[in-house]
Amino acid sequence: MSTALFRGSGGRRARSWAWTSLVTATVGALAAAGLVATAGTASAQSTLADAAESQGRYFGTAVASGRLGESDYVATLDREFNSVTAENSMKWESLQPSQGYFDFSAADRIVDHARGQGMAVRGHTLVWHSQLPGWVESLGTNDLRSAMNNHITEVMQHYQGDVDTWDVVNEAFQDGGSGARRDSVFQRRLGDGWIEEAFRTARSVDPNATLCYNDYNTDAWNSAKTQAVYDMVADFVSRGVPIDCVGFQAHFNSGNPVPNNYHETLQNFADLGVDVQITELDIAGSGESQAEQYGGVTQACLAVSRCTGITVWGVTDKYSWRSEDTPLLFDGDYNAKPAYHAVLETLGGSGGGGGGGGGDDTADCTVTYSETDRWGDRFNGQVTVRAGDSAIDSWSTTVTVHPPQKISATWNGDPSWDSSGDVMTMRSHGGLAAGGTTTFGFTVMANGNWTTPTLGSCTAS
Ligand code: G2I
């Protein structure tokens, strides 16, 4: 099971089918075990995706491929979102680490999961000065031009039919008051025409994809950077350069708050005849003040008919690129925060949050699985149990193995078994303080089946 390296295009389709059925089967098993919301339990508009859809929008999140093995992460992703963006896996350094060698494996995992769940995929990003492999930096003008066009071509062809929207060019303008283009290798070697060329190439490769220019600090209408991007888009539209959309990253904090005229900025761009999307939303803070700002951004999007959707830059605070700012909609235990409820309600939904958390004080706990060791015939699983906002006296949860697997040893808990021997109930030896954690572990004899055991929910008293 080594990492797949592919030269050139093609090959994705066949693998895609295999993955899709695997994903569907896994989700079916989780649903049967009550681990993911099923159609019967999730009423309309009690999730971000459903509420956004009722407003004719999508609601997306950035996804890190390495997190797709975590059951709470996946359950929250699948329940709440209907669009994903790869947080890092589709960047140039990930997809073409050395010239001519493409490694689509991590990005494929995200796309296969998303497509298996019927989600849309935003491609991020084809041409960006950052997370760019060293070999690109050292190319001369002609080679850089061909490398740029070749990268766009190979990547878009690989994901054609799966990725419907691309950030073709990311962050090409400088911060501050100059309104100038960023001094990147593309700008230095290819001159002003490189952005246009990237868009023309992208259109010729996949005429059906929505092509976006994406940037940050373009939120306040009167800032020099916003104006510079606006001028470029206006120029592209007037000359027929193929651009369909402008992405607003929307990374907000106290130094860069949501501007009062945010809606005006979105509307002015939309009036050029392009869609606008909020592509990497996160807002530092907590509680009601964070909630209010999230509600305001959501409202700004709803007020602009061409604002087609919102993507938040991650599922949970604990994996955010700036986790110390707690900028997302779910806390580290996947409890929905006030910000989540503000977004959901602004989208016309209610309830929601998956029933977990929501800031109440009743006894609860969560469980997370990880595999800690693997040998030729067996593996060790570890479950972390975490108490919610209140102390708990005891906890229990179930671990279901998949025949012919057998659990051969356990530690740090009191196990009991159902009649099939496949479902182990693990009970605590004692309690946990509010927010406290403990772990228990077990060895699974694989007997040829390496499927991850299924965790039940955590029960506290
Ligand atoms: O910086 C925030 C975002 C700004 N707009 C473009 C986005 O693509 C960008 O995303 C962030 C990711 O959220 C981070 O996860 O881009 C960063 C890189 O510029 C990402 O950070 C990288 C670290 O630099 C690496 O050291 C690390 O290995 O994340 C990698 C994976 O965790």
Side-chain angles (χ1 to χ4, degrees):
M1 297 218 291
S2 59
T3 298
L5 284 176
F6 301 103
R7 184 183 265 283
S9 61
R12 192 187 137 69
R13 288 279 141 207
R15 285 175 301 112
S16 182
W17 280 108
W19 266 100
T20 305
S21 42
L22 182 65
V23 165
T24 311
T26 308
V27 168
L30 290 174
L35 270 188
V36 293
T38 58
T41 57
S43 67
Q45 306 189 19
S46 63
T47 67
L48 299 171
D50 286 347
E53 196 181 335
S54 75
Q55 303 283 350
R57 269 85 174 172
Y58 65 84
F59 206 95
T61 180
V63 166
S65 54
R67 307 296 179 193
L68 288 175
E70 188 181 318
S71 55
D72 287 348
Y73 183 94
V74 173
T76 308
L77 167 66
D78 293 352
R79 187 186 66 233
E80 297 291 342
F81 301 96
N82 57 8
S83 167
V84 304
T85 304
E87 185 172 0
N88 287 299
S89 306
M90 284 194 193
K91 292 171 180 177
W92 192 321
E93 71 174 8
S94 305
L95 292 185
Q96 195 185 175
S98 54
Q99 189 161 19
Y101 285 89
F102 288 83
D103 179 357
F104 291 109
S105 53
D108 279 359
R109 279 199 290 283
I110 294 175
V111 173
D112 290 333
H113 181 89
R115 301 298 289 144
Q117 292 288 314
M119 300 175 185
V121 184
R122 290 192 87 260
H124 173 81
T125 173
L126 293 168
V127 193
W128 187 27
H129 67 277
S130 182
Q131 289 180 289
L132 191 63
W135 65 266
V136 181
E137 302 271 358
S138 58
L139 298 175
T141 299
N142 291 341
D143 289 346
L144 180 63
R145 185 184 305 285
S146 335
M148 178 181 85
N149 290 323
N150 183 55
H151 186 76
I152 295 171
T153 304
E154 294 292 344
V155 173
M156 287 186 81
Q157 278 176 354
H158 184 79
Y159 288 115
Q160 195 153 6
D162 284 323
V163 171
D164 62 7
T165 302
W166 280 101
D167 288 334
V168 178
V169 172
N170 194 40
E171 301 178 6
F173 284 81
Q174 254 173 40
D175 288 319
S178 71
R181 298 285 183 89
R182 183 187 292 274
D183 180 27
S184 68
V185 66
F186 301 105
Q187 185 68 29
R188 275 196 302 280
R189 304 251 210 285
L190 308 180
D192 276 350
W194 72 272
I195 302 181
E196 170 172 351
E197 182 164 348
F199 276 88
R200 289 192 189 282
T201 302
R203 176 69 93 230
S204 72
V205 178
D206 184 354
N208 295 319
T210 299
L211 306 181
C212 305
Y213 175 78
N214 191 52
D215 215 327
Y216 65 92
N217 282 357
T218 48
D219 314 294
W221 171 240
N222 33 17
S223 91
K225 191 168 171 182
T226 308
Q227 292 296 314
V229 173
Y230 179 86
D231 290 346
M232 178 189 74
V233 176
D235 171 54
F236 280 12
V237 170
S238 73
R239 291 190 297 110
V241 178
I243 184 168
D244 307 307
C245 136
V246 176
F248 295 81
Q249 293 185 10
H251 296 293
F252 295 114
N253 56 33
S254 53
N256 176 40
V258 184
N260 294 333
N261 55 14
Y262 193 46
H263 149 249
E264 188 186 334
T265 304
L266 299 179
Q267 186 64 60
N268 287 341
F269 274 88
D271 287 345
L272 290 173
V274 291
D275 288 343
V276 294
Q277 301 180 343
I278 295 172
T279 53
E280 303 181 13
L281 178 62
D282 55 10
I283 307 178
S286 62
E288 287 312 315
S289 98
Q290 183 182 48
E292 216 171 283
Q293 296 175 71
Y294 261 104
V297 171
T298 308
Q299 216 156 31
C301 180
L302 290 181
V304 176
S305 59
R306 292 198 75 148
C307 181
T308 55
I310 298 176
T311 298
V312 289
W313 204 238
V315 175
T316 156
D317 281 342
K318 70 176 165 180
Y319 300 141
S320 163
W321 68 294
R322 45 180 190 148
S323 58
E324 69 285 359
D325 290 342
T326 61
L328 295 171
L329 300 178
F330 291 91
D331 71 15
D333 295 325
Y334 300 95
N335 294 311
K337 294 163 61 180
Y340 167 91
H341 294 287
V343 172
L344 183 67
E345 280 153 32
T346 307
L347 291 169
S350 62
D360 62 349
D361 260 0
T362 54
D364 64 8
C365 55
T366 54
V367 280
T368 329
Y369 172 82
S370 62
E371 183 179 311
T372 53
D373 292 289
R374 183 177 283 211
W375 299 270
D377 57 346
R378 66 195 191 282
F379 58 92
N380 282 350
Q382 175 173 286
V383 175
T384 302
V385 184
R386 181 185 295 272
D389 292 339
S390 319
I392 57 178
D393 293 331
S394 69
W395 52 262
S396 71
T397 189
T398 59
V399 176
T400 304
V401 295
H402 304 286
Q405 293 175 339
K406 284 285 173 228
I407 294 184
S408 61
T410 72
W411 48 97
N412 295 348
D414 287 328
S416 59
W417 311 85
D418 77 337
S419 54
S420 71
D422 298 332
V423 184
M424 172 178 75
T425 299
M426 188 63 108
R427 290 189 174 78
S428 64
H429 287 306
L432 285 173
T437 59
T438 188
T439 60
F440 68 85
F442 49 90
T443 300
V444 178
M445 301 308 299
N447 296 321
N449 185 347
W450 295 94
T451 312
T452 301
T454 305
L455 266 190
S457 51
C458 191
T459 305
S461 64

